[in-house]
Amino acid sequence: EEEQFAYKQRLKAAVHYTVGCLTSEVAEDVGLSFSKRTIAAIAETTFRQCEQFARDLEMFARHAKRSTVNTDDVKLVARRSQSLYNFISEKCDQLTANNQ
Amino acid sequence: MESGNEGANFKKETVSKLMAMYFKDKKTKMSGDAVLAMRELLRVFVTEAAVRAARQAQSENSGLVDIDHFEKILPQLMLDF
């Protein structure tokens, strides 16, 4: 239990770190700064959102009778917004092209 | 393939461990491409959160993006993802 908690905290810290890097890129672009609390809140939201993403991915894969999540499942996760769907589809096509 | 075209991004390892942590069935795995696509999606999610919060701060003439700006954009962000 305790080990599980520590593992989760380490992952959370990794997410927090990357969110910090990404927000500082945005901050530079827009010429504003982000408070530490805001960065922490974005990190926490991202961490929680991952649960939803993971559940969806798993269900989409299972729906197709697969146990391995593939890029089609990721595209479905992005289905709600047309522009996001297009962006992710393009990325997936690039990835597949690189493998051939 | 690492597509380091610009700036920061999540580590592949972080993304796959995050997803694996939340999978209900421990037999569920992710293909390498799926991990890379998912990391792009997460990067978009974080960037959207930051840009929208920044825009909110700008509309309120604030030079500092604070938690209340983020709280205001959060509901729509969650609907969009």
Side-chain angles (χ1 to χ4, degrees):
Chain A
E1 279 299 296
E2 213 170 283
E3 221 168 278
Q4 183 65 25
F5 179 76
Y7 182 74
K8 208 169 168 176
Q9 290 306 109
R10 281 210 303 280
L11 273 178
K12 218 179 245 199
V15 171
H16 194 294
Y17 169 77
T18 307
V19 168
C21 298
L22 287 167
T23 43
S24 69
E25 285 180 357
V26 173
E28 216 171 290
D29 282 349
V30 296
L32 294 175
S33 51
F34 285 76
S35 72
K36 279 188 179 158
R37 305 192 293 170
T38 311
I39 295 168
I42 297 175
E44 186 67 31
T45 307
T46 308
F47 192 76
R48 288 180 188 208
Q49 184 63 22
C50 282
E51 178 164 11
Q52 193 59 56
F53 287 151
R55 294 249 165 100
D56 285 352
L57 288 174
E58 189 172 37
M59 281 201 171
F60 293 151
R62 191 182 301 172
H63 185 70
K65 301 185 170 53
R66 282 185 271 102
S67 63
T68 304
V69 171
N70 66 22
T71 51
D72 286 340
D73 303 321
V74 180
K75 285 183 201 174
L76 278 175
V77 166
R79 75 196 173 281
R80 270 187 273 262
S81 143
Q82 188 62 50
S83 53
L84 180 64
Y85 182 83
N86 293 343
F87 175 77
I88 292 296
S89 294
E90 207 175 291
K91 287 279 171 196
C92 290
D93 293 345
Q94 280 173 15
L95 289 168
T96 334
N98 283 341
N99 289 341
Q100 279 160 3
Chain B
M1 175 149 156
E2 281 293 301
S3 72
N5 42 354
E6 25 123 359
N9 207 343
F10 291 95
K11 278 193 199 165
K12 275 198 300 190
E13 205 192 345
T14 307
V15 177
S16 64
K17 284 184 175 172
L18 262 172
M19 293 298 125
M21 183 175 75
Y22 287 124
F23 287 151
K24 284 269 175 65
D25 186 342
K26 292 299 156 203
K27 276 177 276 180
T28 308
K29 292 190 175 66
M30 283 184 89
S31 75
D33 280 356
V35 173
L36 291 173
M38 206 50 218
R39 129 216 250 212
E40 283 305 312
L41 185 68
L42 285 176
R43 188 177 62 83
V44 172
F45 181 80
V46 173
T47 312
E48 273 295 318
V51 169
R52 290 182 192 196
R55 211 182 293 148
Q56 183 65 35
Q58 271 168 339
S59 77
E60 294 177 22
N61 295 317
S62 167
L64 180 75
V65 187
D66 212 344
I67 198 130
D68 45 326
H69 303 123
F70 175 63
E71 278 173 357
K72 283 179 191 160
I73 61 94
L74 186 57
Q76 189 60 48
L77 182 76
M78 301 316 278
L79 282 176
D80 290 340
F81 280 86

